[in-house]
Amino acid sequence: MLDISFYTTNGTESETVDVEETFYEWLAKSAFSKIGGASIDTEIYLDEENVILPLVELNQEIRQQFKKIFSEAIISESDVVLTKLGDSPSKEEYQAGTYRLRKMLELLKCVENENDQYLQRI
């Protein structure tokens, strides 16, 4: 599992989204890896100490770009999922078939959270 973490301005880690390696590879090949450019070493206060982490600042422009790609991907993936799963999938088929959709929704919610000011792509 790989992590995508979100931090507030005071360095509090507010959310970490664990993703499978195949999903992370898919993200890396998408616009996700290009938004905000390369991560910049940024000093934040975390766990009672100052640390330097490679972060992307979530300013309004970058946040909007992330929202757009996740929203578009969710729409596209919803169509794929509904077509693939049919009328009565098993629990395992449902969980496997909706994994990417669920992770994209989770990431979209994090990006929409205005308290989070930084994103870390690990």
Side-chain angles (χ1 to χ4, degrees), residues 21-64:
E21 191 169 338
T22 54
F23 181 78
Y24 194 83
E25 288 171 4
W26 174 80
L27 278 177
K29 293 175 185 173
S30 74
F32 175 79
S33 63
K34 295 169 186 65
I35 294 175
S39 298
I40 298 171
D41 286 344
T42 306
E43 186 174 352
I44 60 172
Y45 187 75
L46 181 64
D47 295 332
E48 300 182 16
E49 64 180 316
N50 287 332
V51 295
I52 297 175
L53 298 173
L55 302 173
V56 173
E57 185 176 357
L58 293 174
N59 63 36
Q60 279 306 109
E61 180 183 339
I62 291 172
R63 192 180 299 274
Q64 284 304 109

Side-chain angles (χ1 to χ4, degrees), residues 1-7 13-21 23-24 26-27 32 58 70 98-113 116 118-122:
M1 290 290 226
L2 300 166
D3 297 332
I4 301 169
S5 298
F6 294 83
Y7 298 92
E13 185 176 352
S14 66
E15 188 74 34
T16 296
V17 179
D18 295 323
V19 296
E20 293 177 353
E21 191 169 338
F23 181 78
Y24 194 83
W26 174 80
L27 278 177
F32 175 79
L58 293 174
F70 287 132
T98 60
Y99 176 82
R100 280 180 30 169
L101 182 59
R102 287 181 283 121
K103 289 300 175 180
M104 284 185 278
L105 281 166
E106 194 174 348
L107 289 167
L108 177 62
K109 288 178 184 176
C110 291
V111 167
E112 289 176 335
N113 181 353
D116 294 330
Y118 300 101
L119 172 146
Q120 182 180 31
R121 304 177 251 216
I122 301 175

